[in-house]
Amino acid sequence: MEERKNADSQYLELIDQLKATNAELSDALRAAEEENRAKSSFLSSMSHDIRTPMNAIMGMTSIALSHIDEKPRVLDCLQKIQTASTHLMSLVNDVLDMSRIASGRMTLSEEAFSLADMVHDITIILRPQAAQKHQAFHMEIGQIYEENLLGDPLHLRQILVNIIGNAVKYTQEDGTIRVSISQHTEPDAHTTSDTGSKIWLDFLCEDNGIGMSQAFLEKIFEPFERVNNASVSRIEGTGLGMSIVKSLLDRMGGTITVESAEGKGSRFQVSIPFAAAPQSKSVLTLPAGQTVLIAERLDSRAQQMAAYLRDGGMETVHLQNGMDAVTWLTEAQYENRMPCALLLGLELADMSALDVTAHVRELAGRDFPIILVAETDWAQIEYRATRAGISAFVPCPLFQSRLLTALSELTYKAQRNHSDRPGMIDYCQYRLLLVEDNELNREIAIELLSQTGVQIDTAENGLLAVEAFEQSPENYYDLIFMDIQMPVMNGYEAAKKIRQLSRRDAGSIWIVAMTANAFVEDIRLSREAGMNEHCSKPVDADRLHEILRKRLELHSS
């Protein structure tokens, strides 16, 4: 009897296992059938989408061949062939990308890239597409901690272009698309540095387009899924874009959230971690304490420019009208309180930016910095803008580094060109030590340096230079230009001796190698000897002035 019970128990257990296995097989079969249906639907759609540009290519080729002697007709056909080919290539690329991701063959690169350059490139790609549909396309820059990042710029661009491109594609004519890019920081668990942190890139894209149903939102990131909606039946694509975006973000350690409602638009939020790219930060010689006039109709952009300028130590005045700006500058010139530059928006409240530029250029002269800050395609207006007197162009969305770099370069150039004018900065309050054994080279260097008004002492070899520095009061010299090949004591030895002196300015005094030894190895040796900069012979006046500008104005701030 006991054996009979055991046999029955084993039989029942086997039946349960078979039922569980059958249920699993049924689930697997249903999943496979659903995947096959999705693939079949996808391939059917893809067949249509691929045939559409192929039909255009073949048809336009036939038309061009039949009108081969009519250049305008052939050119029109070739342009349409190019457009269709580009679209066909994007379809094929999506399929290949999905294949690489699915097979695990996709790899991420790690290279330094400029966020400002990337955003500018994306804007150039997508703004014209939005303009064709008369859409309001707004891209804004929020808090940015690091503009130079370390990561995979190609796949980052693919993610952003895909999301913004969908917003343009699925938003009706005269619709609105808003994009914002900012950063936040978090401590990096993989670094032991106190300052080590991840830079999270936060991306937001909102539109008031056709939106998506809640049912589709649940499967938006699945491959081979496309919206089944009559209103988008004419919109071509593979349906793989968001699946690729999600797969890339998973590989990059990022996140994505989507909110949408039919007829009300969509909102995509993305965050991706990056490391800051190692870099040697250049010193900007901004005119600290001076005023910049901002002529800009948009308050939000004017406030952004003003915030960037305040970070650079400058004051700002904001006016919305072009005529008010011209009047303000006229009074400022009469009262000898001219600003150091004018930042100009393209569309002012009362007149065009180029008309304002022409008036200001006539008033302030050819060297006064006028910077155009706008979203426009610079290539289309560059000829007219430069003829009107625009000094430089800074594209929007606006990054702080681009604005401050342009302002630094232009104000320094204007200062040099007008160094004889009252109120312009010179270096007469500074003193430097020129160490050079060759009499002719010494004479040339004195001539070039004396143009700035700086006070110059000389020494004929390294030993005399060490003695001159040692015997002078602390902070007597602001800078030392040091030749390398000299009798008695060469420049390397002299620099080391100065650094070893027991006085507070021995470690902070700038020592610049001024030598004919211009190879990479020579620069390395000068750094190891304790020198801050390297200026090769024959001496270039601009290079000398750049070094003075970097050191002396930094020293005075």
Side-chain angles (χ1 to χ4, degrees):
M1 181 66 70
E2 188 66 28
E3 291 180 357
R4 177 78 177 267
K5 289 182 179 179
N6 289 337
D8 289 344
S9 176
Q10 290 176 357
Y11 177 74
L12 292 174
E13 185 177 343
L14 179 61
I15 292 296
D16 290 339
Q17 290 176 353
L18 289 173
K19 287 181 178 179
T21 302
N22 187 54
E24 290 176 0
L25 291 173
S26 297
D27 290 341
L29 177 61
R30 281 194 297 272
E33 288 174 346
E34 289 176 3
E35 184 176 347
N36 283 332
R37 280 195 295 270
K39 288 182 179 179
S40 297
S41 175
F42 165 75
L43 291 173
S44 176
S45 299
M46 277 296 298
S47 175
H48 170 267
D49 288 350
I50 289 177
R51 287 175 182 274
T52 300
M54 282 298 298
N55 182 63
I57 292 169
M58 295 173 68
M60 289 297 109
T61 301
S62 178
I63 294 172
L65 288 172
S66 63
H67 296 82
I68 196 68
D69 294 326
E70 301 176 33
K71 185 175 178 180
R73 189 73 180 270
V74 172
L75 180 61
D76 178 65
C77 289
L78 290 175
Q79 290 172 339
K80 291 175 180 176
I81 289 171
Q82 185 178 44
T83 300
S85 300
T86 301
H87 177 62
L88 179 60
M89 181 59 70
S90 71
L91 296 175
V92 173
N93 283 341
D94 275 356
V95 176
L96 293 177
D97 278 346
M98 199 64 225
S99 174
R100 281 195 295 270
I101 292 170
S103 65
R105 289 184 288 114
M106 187 201 73
T107 58
L108 297 176
S109 67
E110 186 168 296
E111 57 186 273
F113 67 94
S114 166
L115 181 61
D117 289 344
M118 172 169 291
V119 171
H120 182 57
D121 292 343
I122 291 173
T123 306
I124 289 175
I125 294 170
L126 295 171
R127 193 183 297 281
Q129 297 178 21
Q132 287 179 354
K133 298 179 72 174
H134 308 288
Q135 295 168 339
F137 184 87
H138 304 287
M139 184 174 279
E140 301 171 350
I141 302 299
Q143 176 66 61
I144 300 294
Y145 295 97
E146 293 287 348
E147 292 188 18
N148 296 294
L149 302 174
L150 197 63
D152 190 325
L154 177 63
H155 287 115
L156 174 61
R157 182 183 289 108
Q158 186 176 7
I159 291 168
L160 302 187
V161 168
N162 202 309
I163 294 174
I164 303 173
N166 278 349
V168 174
K169 187 187 299 183
Y170 294 109
T171 298
Q172 66 281 0
E173 290 201 5
D174 301 314
T176 300
I177 297 157
R178 294 186 179 277
V179 176
S180 69
I181 294 176
S182 61
Q183 292 176 344
H184 74 273
T185 61
E186 288 183 5
D188 189 349
H190 299 289
T191 179
T192 57
S193 170
D194 293 336
T195 59
S197 62
K198 284 184 179 178
I199 307 296
W200 284 81
L201 182 67
D202 299 319
F203 168 79
L204 173 66
C205 180
E206 297 177 290
D207 65 68
N208 62 350
I210 62 171
M212 294 171 280
S213 68
Q214 293 303 307
F216 182 75
L217 279 179
E218 295 177 0
K219 55 184 180 180
I220 184 175
F221 299 122
E222 296 178 11
F224 312 117
E225 292 291 346
R226 300 182 64 176
V227 176
N228 185 18
N229 187 320
S231 64
V232 298
S233 60
R234 293 185 180 181
I235 298 176
E236 300 173 348
T238 61
L240 291 174
M242 295 313 300
S243 177
I244 291 172
V245 165
K246 183 64 166 62
S247 298
L248 289 173
L249 285 170
D250 288 344
R251 293 289 302 276
M252 299 168 77
T255 62
I256 181 170
T257 58
V258 187
E259 301 172 21
S260 187
E262 288 185 295
K264 296 183 179 179
S266 303
R267 174 187 174 95
F268 287 79
Q269 286 183 286
V270 172
S271 288
I272 312 174
F274 292 95
Q279 56 181 316
S280 55
K281 294 188 177 181
S282 58
V283 179
L284 295 178
T285 54
L286 295 164
Q290 296 192 39
T291 299
V292 177
L293 176 61
I294 301 173
E296 170 60 65
R297 178 175 56 87
L298 299 175
D299 283 333
S300 59
R301 184 166 298 161
Q303 291 170 8
Q304 185 183 29
M305 286 190 277
Y308 289 166
L309 294 171
R310 284 194 297 270
D311 284 347
M314 287 162 283
E315 304 293 331
T316 61
V317 172
H318 173 217
L319 299 171
Q320 291 185 326
N321 295 334
M323 189 52 64
D324 289 345
V326 174
T327 301
W328 190 92
L329 284 168
T330 302
E331 294 174 353
Q333 187 180 58
Y334 178 76
E335 297 170 3
N336 196 28
R337 54 176 178 85
M338 280 289 284
C340 64
L342 167 66
L343 301 186
L344 196 58
L346 188 61
E347 297 296 335
L348 300 174
D350 59 342
M351 59 195 299
S352 76
L354 300 190
D355 287 340
V356 174
T357 301
H359 286 297
V360 173
R361 186 59 69 208
E362 184 175 353
L363 170 72
R366 63 183 180 86
D367 293 319
F368 179 69
I370 304 176
I371 302 175
L372 180 65
V373 182
E375 295 176 341
T376 187
D377 183 351
W378 175 243
Q380 293 185 2
I381 68 165
E382 181 177 7
Y383 177 75
R384 290 183 292 117
T386 52
R387 282 181 63 85
I390 294 292
S391 309
F393 171 70
V394 177
C396 290
L398 185 61
F399 280 81
Q400 185 178 46
S401 64
R402 290 194 168 192
L403 180 64
L404 297 187
T405 297
L407 189 62
S408 174
E409 292 173 352
L410 289 174
T411 53
Y412 173 64
K413 181 180 178 181
Q415 175 187 316
R416 284 198 56 199
N417 290 344
H418 294 272
S419 58
D420 57 333
R421 290 187 181 180
M424 284 297 183
I425 300 173
D426 63 27
Y427 302 125
C428 62
Q429 72 270 37
Y430 301 109
R431 182 181 297 274
L432 62 82
L433 177 62
L434 173 64
V435 189
E436 171 63 68
D437 68 306
N438 184 284
E439 184 178 354
L440 181 58
N441 287 343
R442 193 163 59 245
E443 181 180 345
I444 293 171
I446 290 173
E447 178 63 27
L448 294 175
L449 291 167
S450 62
Q451 296 174 6
T452 66
V454 68
Q455 302 175 61
I456 304 170
D457 292 344
T458 63
E460 297 178 9
N461 59 59
L463 180 60
L464 293 176
V466 174
E467 291 174 353
F469 183 81
E470 191 173 17
Q471 294 168 11
S472 65
E474 284 190 357
N475 300 314
Y476 180 75
Y477 290 113
D478 300 286
L479 189 66
I480 299 174
F481 282 100
M482 181 81 72
D483 187 22
I484 299 299
Q485 299 295 338
M486 295 183 293
V488 186
M489 181 183 291
N490 66 38
Y492 297 139
E493 294 172 351
K496 291 177 182 177
K497 292 284 187 183
I498 290 173
R499 293 299 186 210
Q500 293 168 1
L501 293 174
S502 58
R503 45 187 286 170
R504 285 179 297 179
D505 59 347
S508 61
I509 180 74
W510 260 37
I511 306 176
V512 179
M514 192 164 66
T515 172
N517 300 347
F519 293 109
V520 173
E521 178 66 14
D522 300 315
I523 297 174
R524 183 184 65 81
L525 289 172
S526 67
R527 295 286 187 186
E528 290 177 354
M531 299 187 184
N532 304 85
E533 287 280 353
H534 191 280
C535 180
S536 60
K537 296 177 181 177
V539 176
D540 178 69
D542 288 338
R543 175 62 175 153
L544 283 182
H545 294 161
E546 178 190 358
I547 292 170
L548 288 176
R549 177 169 60 103
K550 286 173 65 176
R551 174 53 180 168
L552 299 184
E553 293 184 17
L554 177 67
H555 183 66
S556 64
S557 61

